[in-house]
Amino acid sequence: LTTYPTKALTGASHLLPSLFHRYRKYVERSLRSALDDGKSGLYQMLRYHIGLADGPVLQGKAVRPVLCLFASEASGGKWQNAMPAAVALELAHNFSLIHDDIQDGDIERRHRPTLWYLWGTPKALAAGNAMWAMADLALLKLAGYGVRSEVVLRASGVMTEGCLEMILGQHLDLSFEGRLDITVNDYMDMISKKTGALMDVSSRLGALIGNADPDTVSAFGRCGRLLGLVFQIRDDILGIWGDTKNTGKPMGNDIRKRKMTLPVVYTLEHASQATRKEIGRLFQKETLAEEEVTRIIAAMESVNAQRYSRILAKQKCSQALRAMGDISMQPWARKELEELSSFLLTREN
Amino acid sequence: LTTYPTKALTGASHLLPSLFHRYRKYVERSLRSALDDGKSGLYQMLRYHIGLADGPVLQGKAVRPVLCLFASEASGGKWQNAMPAAVALELAHNFSLIHDDIQDGDIERRHRPTLWYLWGTPKALAAGNAMWAMADLALLKLAGYGVRSEVVLRASGVMTEGCLEMILGQHLDLSFEGRLDITVNDYMDMISKKTGALMDVSSRLGALIGNADPDTVSAFGRCGRLLGLVFQIRDDILGIWGDTKNTGKPMGNDIRKRKMTLPVVYTLEHASQATRKEIGRLFQKETLAEEEVTRIIAAMESVNAQRYSRILAKQKCSQALRAMGDISMQPWARKELEELSSFLLTREN
C-alpha cells in the first residue's frame, strides 16, 4: 500500500477545514429558501429533518455541497453559479437518509428522532420522495444562473444516474444482510455505489458548471468517488472505535446494530472458520449482550481489522489526490483539496 | 349539473377504445427495453412489478402513456417522438404504486403479490426509488428524438413538479385517515393532486412535444387533470359497487379496507350525526364483519352516494371535453378524445 505524501495529513487535520466555513452560510440560506415556501405538513417534516425547523444550525457537514462548490471554484468558475447543484445534492443526500432510516429501522439520527419514528413510515416515505423531487427542481434552477440548457440537461442526467447508482448501492447493502460470504471487494463495490456515486456526482457537477474541460470533469468525478470511499471507511471505523465524546454514540455502536461494515467484512474474510461461524451466529440475534459486542471487537482486533481499514482509507485518499495529479489547478485549490481529503480521512465525528 | 352531450357516452363505451390498441405494442416494447439491461436484483423486481417478468402482457391499461402519445399526435406531432415521455410517465406511475402498496400495507395488486410482500419493505422501497430514477432517465432520452434542449428541460420540470404534486397528494390522503371532517371539497383537492397531477402532466407533455402552442398545451393539461378526476371517481365507485366478475375484487372491497373514497366522504358529509358516528367507529376497527360492510353500504345508498359520485364523474368528464372546446383539433382526434373520456367514465374494471 502506497500513500500520497502530504503535509495536510499531519497537524489538526481532523478539524473542519476553512473551506467548509467559506460556503456554509450560503448553503444554509439556499437550503432554507428551497424548503421555505411550502405550507403542506410535508414541508414541515423536510425542514425538521434538515434541521432548519428548530434552530439556525444546518445538521451535518454538508460535504456534498462543499465538494461541488469547491470543484466549481477550483475549475475557474464562480462557485455562486453552482449553488443550485449544491442544494440539489444536499437534498438528494437527505432523501437517501430519510429512506435509509426507514429501511434500517433507525430511531435516531444526529441525536434527534427520525422522521418515520415521529410521523410513521407511510408519511416519512412520502417526505423522502418529496425531498428528492425538491432536489431535482433545485438542480433545474441552474438555468437561471447563466448555465446553458445543454449543460443543465447534462447535469440533470449526471445527477439522476448518480442517484440511481446510490439506490442500487443501498439495495446491494440490504442484500448483504445476514450473509457471511461477502468479500472486501464486494463491500468496496457496494460503498462505491452507495456513498461514492453521489460524491462523484458532487465534484463532477461542480467542475461541469465551472466549465472545466472533459478530462478535468472526469478527474473530479473519480476524485470525488474515492473521497466517498474514504468518508465511508472512516465512518465504519468511527462506528466501532469512535470516541463517544465526539460521535455521541457508544463504542461498538455499529456492532450492536449488526451492520456489515468494512471491519466486519474483513474480519469474516480473515478470521478462523470458528470465529466466522461465531460472528455469523451473533449477527443473527435480535439484540447483542455487551459481552458479545466486546467479543466481536476482540475478534476484529485479533486480525488487525482496524489497522487494515485505516490503511485502506489512507490508500483511497492518496488515489483521490493522484486522480487530480495531472490536472492543472491553482496552488490554493490543491492545498484546499489536500485539507479536505485529510479531514475526511481523520475526522473524529 | 350539466353534462357534455356526446354519442360516445352510449353504446359499448366501457370497452378499451381503439386508441389504446394503437400504441400498446410500442409502449410495451419501449418499457421492456427501458428495464431490460440491468442485471441487479432490483431490476428483476421492477420487471416483475410492471408485469414484464412473467409473460408478454403489460399489467394495467397504460392510461398515462396513451394520453401522452394521443396529445402529441392530436397536436400534429409524431407520436413516436413522445415515446420517451410516455415511458417515463408509466414508470413514474409505477413508482407511486410500489410506494403506495407499502404505505397502505396492500398485499396484492392486479391479482399478484406486491413487491414489499414478496421482498420486504426495505427492498421494495429501493425498487420504487429505482423506478422513479428510471423514469427521469427515460424522459431525458427525448433529446435523442429531435426534441430541443429547452423543450426537454421544460418537460423535465413539468414532470418533476407533477411528481411532487402527486407525492403531496399521497401525503394528504394519508393525513385524511381516521378523520370524519373531510369534505367533498377536501377530497377533490386531494385527488386532483394524487391522481390528477400525473394525468395533467401526461397530456401536457404530449402537447409540448407535439409543438402545440402554449394555450393548447395548457388546455391539454387541464383536460388531462379532469380526466384524472373522472378516472379516480370511477375507481372509487368500482371499489364499492364494482362487479366481482370484472374487478376481480369482492363487492365493498374499499369499505373493507376502510378507504376514504368519494362515496364515503360524501356520506359522512350528508348522513345524520348518528350514522356519521357509527361509520367513524367502524372505520377505526382493525377488520370489519361482512354485516358491518353491508350496513355501511346501506348508509351510503340512503344518501344516494353512488348516484352523486356518478353525476360528479360525468360532470368532470364534460368539463374535460369543454376544456378542449376552443382548441382546434382534427375531427378524428376529437372523436378519439370523446371515446377515451367516455371509457374512463364507464369502464367496468
Coordinates of all heavy atoms in Angstrom, one line a residue, chain A residues 270-300:
Chain A
H270 N -11.0 -13.0 7.1 CA -9.7 -13.4 7.6 C -9.6 -14.1 8.9 O -8.6 -14.7 9.3 CB -8.8 -12.1 7.7 CG -8.4 -11.5 6.4 ND1 -9.2 -10.7 5.7 CD2 -7.3 -11.7 5.6 CE1 -8.7 -10.4 4.5 NE2 -7.5 -11.0 4.5
A271 N -10.7 -14.2 9.6 CA -10.7 -14.9 10.8 C -10.8 -16.5 10.6 O -11.1 -16.9 9.4 CB -11.9 -14.5 11.7
S272 N -10.6 -17.2 11.6 CA -10.7 -18.7 11.5 C -12.2 -19.1 11.2 O -13.1 -18.3 11.5 CB -10.3 -19.3 12.8 OG -11.2 -19.0 13.8
Q273 N -12.4 -20.3 10.7 CA -13.7 -20.8 10.4 C -14.6 -20.7 11.7 O -15.8 -20.3 11.6 CB -13.6 -22.2 10.0 CG -14.9 -22.9 9.5 CD -15.4 -22.3 8.2 OE1 -14.7 -21.5 7.5 NE2 -16.6 -22.6 7.8
A274 N -14.0 -21.0 12.9 CA -14.8 -21.0 14.1 C -15.3 -19.6 14.4 O -16.5 -19.4 14.8 CB -14.0 -21.5 15.2
T275 N -14.4 -18.6 14.3 CA -14.7 -17.2 14.6 C -15.8 -16.7 13.7 O -16.7 -16.0 14.1 CB -13.5 -16.3 14.5 OG1 -12.4 -16.9 15.4 CG2 -13.8 -14.9 14.9
R276 N -15.6 -17.1 12.4 CA -16.6 -16.7 11.4 C -18.0 -17.2 11.7 O -19.0 -16.4 11.7 CB -16.2 -17.4 10.1 CG -16.2 -16.4 8.9 CD -15.7 -17.2 7.7 NE -16.8 -17.3 6.7 CZ -16.6 -17.6 5.5 NH1 -15.4 -18.0 5.0 NH2 -17.7 -17.7 4.7
K277 N -18.1 -18.4 12.1 CA -19.4 -19.0 12.5 C -19.9 -18.3 13.7 O -21.1 -18.0 13.8 CB -19.2 -20.5 12.8 CG -19.3 -21.4 11.6 CD -19.6 -22.8 12.0 CE -20.0 -23.7 10.8 NZ -19.7 -25.1 11.1
E278 N -19.1 -18.0 14.7 CA -19.5 -17.4 15.9 C -20.1 -16.0 15.6 O -21.2 -15.6 16.1 CB -18.2 -17.2 16.8 CG -18.4 -16.4 18.0 CD -19.3 -17.0 19.1 OE1 -19.9 -18.0 18.8 OE2 -19.3 -16.5 20.3
I279 N -19.3 -15.2 14.8 CA -19.8 -13.9 14.4 C -21.2 -14.0 13.6 O -22.1 -13.2 13.9 CB -18.8 -13.1 13.6 CG1 -17.5 -12.8 14.4 CG2 -19.4 -11.7 13.1 CD1 -16.4 -12.1 13.7
G280 N -21.2 -14.9 12.7 CA -22.4 -15.2 11.9 C -23.6 -15.4 12.9 O -24.7 -14.9 12.7
R281 N -23.4 -16.3 13.9 CA -24.4 -16.6 14.8 C -24.9 -15.4 15.6 O -26.1 -15.1 15.7 CB -23.9 -17.7 15.8 CG -25.0 -18.3 16.7 CD -24.4 -19.3 17.7 NE -23.4 -18.7 18.6 CZ -23.8 -18.0 19.7 NH1 -25.0 -17.8 20.0 NH2 -22.9 -17.4 20.5
L282 N -23.9 -14.6 16.1 CA -24.2 -13.4 16.9 C -25.0 -12.4 16.0 O -25.9 -11.7 16.5 CB -22.9 -12.8 17.5 CG -22.3 -13.7 18.5 CD1 -20.9 -13.0 19.0 CD2 -23.2 -13.8 19.8
F283 N -24.6 -12.2 14.7 CA -25.2 -11.2 13.9 C -26.6 -11.6 13.5 O -27.3 -10.7 13.0 CB -24.3 -11.0 12.6 CG -23.4 -9.8 12.7 CD1 -22.5 -9.7 13.7 CD2 -23.5 -8.8 11.8 CE1 -21.7 -8.6 13.9 CE2 -22.6 -7.7 11.9 CZ -21.7 -7.6 12.9
Q284 N -27.0 -12.8 13.8 CA -28.4 -13.2 13.5 C -29.3 -12.9 14.7 O -30.6 -13.0 14.6 CB -28.5 -14.6 13.1 CG -28.5 -14.8 11.6 CD -28.1 -16.2 11.2 OE1 -28.0 -17.1 12.0 NE2 -27.9 -16.4 9.9
K285 N -28.7 -12.6 15.9 CA -29.6 -12.3 17.1 C -30.3 -11.0 17.0 O -29.8 -10.1 16.3 CB -28.7 -12.4 18.3 CG -28.1 -13.8 18.6 CD -27.3 -13.7 19.9 CE -28.1 -13.5 21.1 NZ -27.3 -13.7 22.4
E286 N -31.4 -10.9 17.7 CA -32.2 -9.7 17.7 C -31.4 -8.6 18.4 O -31.3 -7.5 17.9 CB -33.5 -9.9 18.4 CG -34.7 -10.3 17.5 CD -35.0 -9.2 16.4 OE1 -35.2 -8.1 16.8 OE2 -35.0 -9.5 15.2
T287 N -30.9 -8.9 19.6 CA -30.0 -7.9 20.3 C -28.8 -8.6 20.8 O -28.8 -9.8 21.0 CB -30.8 -7.3 21.5 OG1 -31.3 -8.4 22.3 CG2 -31.9 -6.4 21.1
L288 N -27.7 -7.8 21.0 CA -26.5 -8.4 21.5 C -26.2 -8.0 22.9 O -26.4 -6.8 23.3 CB -25.3 -8.0 20.6 CG -25.3 -8.5 19.2 CD1 -24.1 -7.9 18.4 CD2 -25.1 -10.0 19.2
A289 N -25.7 -8.9 23.7 CA -25.3 -8.5 25.1 C -23.9 -7.8 25.0 O -23.2 -8.0 24.0 CB -25.1 -9.8 25.9
E290 N -23.7 -6.9 25.9 CA -22.4 -6.1 25.9 C -21.2 -7.0 25.8 O -20.2 -6.7 25.1 CB -22.3 -5.2 27.1 CG -23.1 -3.9 27.0 CD -23.0 -3.2 25.7 OE1 -21.9 -2.7 25.4 OE2 -23.9 -3.2 24.9
E291 N -21.3 -8.1 26.5 CA -20.2 -9.1 26.5 C -20.0 -9.7 25.1 O -18.8 -9.9 24.6 CB -20.5 -10.1 27.5 CG -19.5 -11.3 27.6 CD -20.3 -12.6 27.2 OE1 -21.4 -12.8 27.7 OE2 -19.7 -13.4 26.4
E292 N -21.0 -9.8 24.3 CA -20.9 -10.3 23.0 C -20.3 -9.3 22.0 O -19.5 -9.6 21.1 CB -22.3 -10.8 22.4 CG -22.8 -12.0 23.2 CD -24.3 -12.3 22.9 OE1 -25.1 -11.4 22.8 OE2 -24.7 -13.5 22.9
V293 N -20.7 -8.0 22.2 CA -20.1 -6.9 21.4 C -18.6 -6.9 21.7 O -17.8 -6.8 20.7 CB -20.8 -5.6 21.8 CG1 -20.1 -4.4 21.1 CG2 -22.3 -5.5 21.5
T294 N -18.2 -7.0 22.9 CA -16.8 -7.0 23.3 C -16.1 -8.1 22.6 O -15.0 -8.0 22.1 CB -16.6 -7.1 24.8 OG1 -17.5 -6.1 25.4 CG2 -15.2 -6.8 25.2
R295 N -16.7 -9.3 22.6 CA -16.1 -10.5 21.9 C -15.9 -10.3 20.4 O -14.9 -10.6 19.9 CB -17.0 -11.7 22.2 CG -16.1 -13.0 22.4 CD -16.9 -14.0 23.3 NE -18.0 -14.7 22.5 CZ -19.2 -14.9 23.1 NH1 -19.5 -14.5 24.3 NH2 -20.1 -15.5 22.4
I296 N -16.9 -9.7 19.8 CA -16.7 -9.4 18.3 C -15.6 -8.4 18.1 O -14.8 -8.6 17.2 CB -18.1 -8.9 17.7 CG1 -19.1 -10.0 17.8 CG2 -17.9 -8.5 16.3 CD1 -20.5 -9.6 17.4
I297 N -15.6 -7.4 18.9 CA -14.5 -6.4 18.7 C -13.1 -7.0 18.9 O -12.2 -6.7 18.2 CB -14.7 -5.1 19.6 CG1 -16.0 -4.4 19.2 CG2 -13.5 -4.2 19.6 CD1 -16.3 -3.2 20.0
A298 N -13.0 -7.9 19.9 CA -11.8 -8.6 20.2 C -11.4 -9.4 19.0 O -10.2 -9.5 18.6 CB -11.9 -9.5 21.4
A299 N -12.3 -10.1 18.3 CA -12.1 -10.9 17.1 C -11.5 -10.0 16.0 O -10.6 -10.4 15.3 CB -13.3 -11.6 16.7
M300 N -12.1 -8.8 15.9 CA -11.6 -7.8 14.9 C -10.2 -7.4 15.2 O -9.4 -7.3 14.2 CB -12.5 -6.6 14.9 CG -13.9 -6.9 14.4 SD -14.8 -5.4 14.5 CE -16.2 -5.9 13.5

